[in-house]
Amino acid sequence: KKVFKTVKSKLVMSRFLTSFFLYSMGVQTVMLLAPLFADKEIGLGADEMIIVVLIIQIIAIAGAYFFAFLSKLKGNGFAISTTLIIWIFICIAGYFLKDTISFYALAAFLGFVMGGIQSISRSTYSKLIPAETTETASFFSFYDITEKLAIVIGSLSYGLIDQITGSMRNSMLFMSLFFIGGFVLLQLANLKKNMA
């Protein structure tokens, strides 16, 4: 309750968290449902999915380092915005995917931004927590609840669109709206100016 009150009173923090909530709906849902998408829409077997998961995990390490470097050069807001643009591209490209090779390439992009967006988002949030607070654990608990709630709503949206339209491709395309919304709110938070 105390954390919620603080978040509400700090415009930059509330805009960032709302942005984080929106793009987390996309990030977590795409990450969790990528294997199901690969199975249903591309026809990948279990052995090929193991390769995809390994690709994603290895490239995620490189992505985390790259976006940490980018945030040092241009700031956290720029680094997150860059990942969001790539996520929008991933969702749109996912709609048009036809073959296994394209899926592997898209999985590589997904891994690259997955590592980056998670680490930079957490880092950004930690910088927005008031310096005088003694409730750091409560602030991060609030952050985690936001993320878990985003997973539930994102997965529900994905499933509903799949059921209504009969295609996971439409669900993938719809996920881009969460990233676009998160991108717009992130620009409104003006992190570069407010974190300086």
Side-chain angles (χ1 to χ4, degrees):
K1 193 177 169 183
K2 269 166 80 176
V3 170
F4 184 65
K5 233 176 146 181
T6 306
V7 168
K8 264 174 63 177
S9 70
K10 294 186 179 294
L11 187 64
V12 182
M13 192 180 236
S14 65
R15 279 184 181 167
F16 171 74
L17 265 182
T18 310
S19 167
F20 170 75
F21 177 70
L22 279 173
Y23 67 71
S24 280
M25 282 195 262
V27 171
Q28 302 301 330
T29 305
V30 172
M31 278 169 30
L32 286 171
L33 297 173
L36 190 61
F37 180 88
D39 175 43
K40 193 176 169 185
E41 297 291 336
I42 312 295
L44 252 65
D47 53 337
E48 291 172 303
M49 276 314 302
I50 291 167
I51 295 166
V52 170
V53 169
L54 286 171
I55 289 169
I56 289 171
Q57 297 304 319
I58 291 164
I59 295 177
I61 298 165
Y65 278 107
F66 173 79
F67 286 105
F69 170 74
L70 187 64
S71 74
K72 274 183 191 170
L73 279 182
K74 296 276 191 177
N76 287 26
F78 182 85
I80 296 171
S81 297
T82 305
T83 65
L84 292 178
I85 290 165
I86 299 169
W87 275 106
I88 293 164
F89 161 77
I90 289 169
C91 293
I92 294 167
Y95 179 80
F96 296 102
L97 270 185
K98 297 283 180 209
D99 57 278
T100 308
I101 302 299
S102 322
F103 184 80
Y104 282 141
L106 205 62
F109 271 106
L110 192 147
F112 190 67
V113 287
M114 178 187 85
I117 202 163
Q118 290 179 321
S119 58
I120 299 297
S121 295
R122 192 168 280 273
S123 157
T124 304
Y125 181 71
S126 68
K127 290 173 184 175
L128 293 172
I129 296 171
E132 67 278 1
T133 190
T134 54
E135 306 278 336
T136 311
S138 299
F139 274 93
F140 275 104
S141 296
F142 190 83
Y143 178 88
D144 286 335
I145 289 166
T146 306
E147 192 172 38
K148 300 297 178 277
L149 196 57
I151 294 170
V152 173
I153 297 169
S155 301
L156 178 67
S157 307
Y158 195 95
L160 278 174
I161 292 155
D162 181 27
Q163 289 297 309
I164 293 164
T165 65
S167 171
M168 287 182 100
R169 291 177 188 276
N170 294 326
S171 300
M172 183 67 85
L173 192 60
F174 183 81
M175 290 296 114
S176 66
L177 296 178
F178 293 135
F179 293 111
I180 292 166
F183 180 84
V184 170
L185 270 168
L186 192 67
Q187 306 320 302
L188 292 173
N190 201 356
L191 290 177
K192 192 165 188 176
K193 181 186 170 190
N194 289 299
M195 286 171 69

